[in-house]
Amino acid sequence: MNNKENNTWEIGGKTFNSRLLIGSALYPSPAIMEESIQASGAQIVTVALRRQAAGDQGGDNFWNIIKSLNIEVLPNTAGCHSAKEAITTAQMAREVFGTNWIKLEVIGDQYNLQPDPFETVKAAEILIKDGFEVFPYTTDDLVVAQRLVDAGCKILMPWGSMIGSGKGLMNPSNLKAIREKFPDLKLIIDAGIGKPSHATQAMELGYDGILLNSAVALAQEPQKMARAFKYSVEAGRLAYEAGAMQQREFASPSTPVVGTPFWHQFK
């Protein structure tokens, strides 16, 4: 069975079946978080270092749940506003979580939580030299994407739209350009996904995966929404691999109308 049939894929030197990455924040309760992550089928979960405070019983309980899920942990540098701060957080996360993976977030604007392109590139370059596998959160800017690749990034995580906005893909043409420019890179849409249809649209563009959090955690029934996203990501990937039909300017009948209708032969 080939990869297209069993949907396995590789990222950061590891192989997975699910192309959905899921966050661990904002859930109504730890139990709902656990059930939602399980329902999503995700095999990678993002975790903020601040959730693992020393001596914090709540943090201990949270970490025990994450470990019990037996899935890959992707620590993030959420809340950092400079390269220096992000690098320090990443180094601490490597010690706490025992992984060289890091989701790099360096926020440059508090209003729309847009990443700072200059500080992100600076941090990525230093972290890669320090042995990290960097998953950089960035905008859909092709020039910034190129700078991150030049810094050594093998993975890019452009936003669909602003974090937590649920607006979906603001600039599909920009995202398509990034996909076409970097055909061999692992590309994951991170932020702005609000509905399963948004995830399907992103996967149909050829993106390798989707990372989301708020769309599941803030749903009225997070467990059901997690399942919905599981299937939407799978559907989008299958559609991309199958090759969608080209759009047409005019109607084209799906049923042939040339010749004698087949039922005439039975008269």
Side-chain angles (χ1 to χ4, degrees), residues 80-193:
C80 293
H81 293 82
S82 69
K84 182 179 180 180
E85 188 179 6
I87 291 165
T88 300
T89 301
Q91 291 168 339
M92 293 172 63
R94 181 164 58 183
E95 295 299 319
V96 171
F97 299 111
T99 178
N100 70 328
W101 281 17
I102 192 71
K103 179 190 170 187
L104 177 61
E105 296 182 35
V106 186
I107 300 302
D109 184 271
Q110 201 59 38
Y111 174 73
N112 65 3
L113 301 181
Q114 179 171 324
D116 184 320
F118 309 103
E119 294 295 294
T120 299
V121 171
K122 184 191 301 183
E125 188 171 15
I126 294 171
L127 289 171
I128 289 169
K129 289 179 180 178
D130 193 25
F132 282 89
E133 187 72 66
V134 177
F135 293 60
Y137 166 58
T138 181
T139 60
D140 53 13
D141 187 299
L142 188 60
V143 175
V144 177
Q146 183 64 65
R147 294 294 183 269
L148 288 166
V149 172
D150 292 343
C153 292
K154 300 176 183 177
I155 301 160
L156 297 179
M157 303 182 74
W159 70 0
S161 51
M162 297 176 292
I163 294 176
S165 69
K167 292 180 178 292
L169 308 187
M170 290 191 303
N171 297 300
S173 59
N174 289 11
L175 295 171
K176 185 178 180 181
I178 292 174
R179 177 71 284 176
E180 292 174 350
K181 175 70 173 179
F182 306 107
D184 299 323
L185 255 64
K186 289 297 187 293
L187 300 180
I188 299 171
I189 294 294
D190 176 19
I193 298 296

Side-chain angles (χ1 to χ4, degrees), residues 49-64:
L49 179 64
R50 64 175 179 269
R51 292 293 299 272
Q52 186 64 19
D56 180 3
Q57 186 62 43
D60 289 342
N61 291 337
F62 167 81
W63 183 227
N64 287 334

Side-chain angles (χ1 to χ4, degrees), residues 260-267:
T260 303
F262 74 92
W263 60 81
H264 282 198
Q265 63 185 301
F266 298 108
K267 291 186 177 180

